[in-house]
Amino acid sequence: MRILVTAPYHEKGREELAQLFGEIIYKPWKVHGHGYRPDELIDLLRESEADALITEHDEVTAAVIQACPTLAFIGVCRGTPSNVAVDVATQKGIPVFNTPARNAQAVAELFIANAITFLRKTLNSIQWLERGAWGEGAHTAYLQFKGNELAGKQVGMVGFGAVGQTIAQILKTFPCEITYFDPFYTAEDPLYKKQSLEELFRTSDVVAIHLPVTAETRGMIDAELLALMKADAIFVNTARAVVVDRDALLEVIENGRIRGAILDVFYNEPPDEKDYRLIRHPNVLATPHIAGATHEVEDHHVDIMNGVLRDFFKQDKKDIKQFVNREGLTANLK
């Protein structure tokens, strides 16, 4: 069985795949310079005679799947398979696997780093110091940049999946009060308090968005919810911009209705002028969609994907061969 891997995949991970399946054709999108477009991916799949695909940022559209309908599976090294036409793959009987939680630690660390940076006015103080603004008086900076501690704050999680739970685990040691809204999280943990969406926005010191983009979540964080926030509360979005009404967020920021915002995602990337109104506002700490950008994330997605595939095929090459033969493919197993 020939597996085309266009996701970043370290050598040990590729060796494990080869032991499990057979031949690995490694054509990472980073070397290519950009995620493979549909026509490029179709050509590459046909040229390599691949029986399956492991991708990260390529455009695996309906056209790609219809051109290669006998793929044994599609692995997506992302938290959600948003770059894959999953409905078409399902119609063709092609399993689609993804790597949830691959970036949970990375996003959690940046969340906490940026929350502390915002509360302690760290960037402003660094810029002040670099400008040579420290004049007479040893206590000038002490008085001007006195901030707040993250400890003791109520952090409300809108969405309590892998990222939210990882943040919560870390914040327990500060300690912080963790509340959440998530109809799909059913575990009973006395350390975390479930709230309605309205109650969470009304009571939290930090409102943290951890939502995927779905028909239900698009625009879910609207003007009515943002209007409930306390005047000294901070809004944080490291998930997806389109789950928030951008105009409503601009309104509360520009009119000083809340203390500020920490943003890592935007409606347009690169940003348009309205995005830049948020980015450049003095009460916004903005980063360019880097919450999940660590070298370790790629190691995590390899480990998760290989584990998912081992579990699916029951770690048994005979099972793999039977599956492949049912799909009319030729197994090439060691």
Side-chain angles (χ1 to χ4, degrees), residues 197-198 201-202 207 209 219-231 233-236 243-253 257-258 260-261:
L197 200 52
E198 291 77 13
F201 271 80
R202 188 180 296 113
V207 174
I209 307 302
M220 173 178 161
I221 311 304
D222 59 14
E224 291 185 7
L225 287 171
L226 292 169
L228 296 174
M229 292 179 67
K230 298 190 292 187
I234 300 168
F235 181 84
V236 186
V243 302
V244 180
D245 181 330
R246 179 173 61 167
D247 290 330
L249 181 59
L250 263 172
E251 194 276 330
V252 297
I253 293 292
R257 302 270 299 281
I258 63 174

Side-chain angles (χ1 to χ4, degrees), residues 111 115 119 150 153-158 171 176-177 179 200 203-209 229-230 232-236 262:
F111 174 97
L119 288 166
L150 181 56
K153 302 296 184 290
Q154 178 183 325
V155 180
M157 308 283 187
V158 183
L171 288 181
C176 290
E177 180 184 359
T179 65
L200 184 149
T203 61
S204 296
D205 301 303
V206 179
V207 174
I209 307 302
M229 292 179 67
K230 298 190 292 187
D232 60 350
I234 300 168
F235 181 84
V236 186
I262 299 170

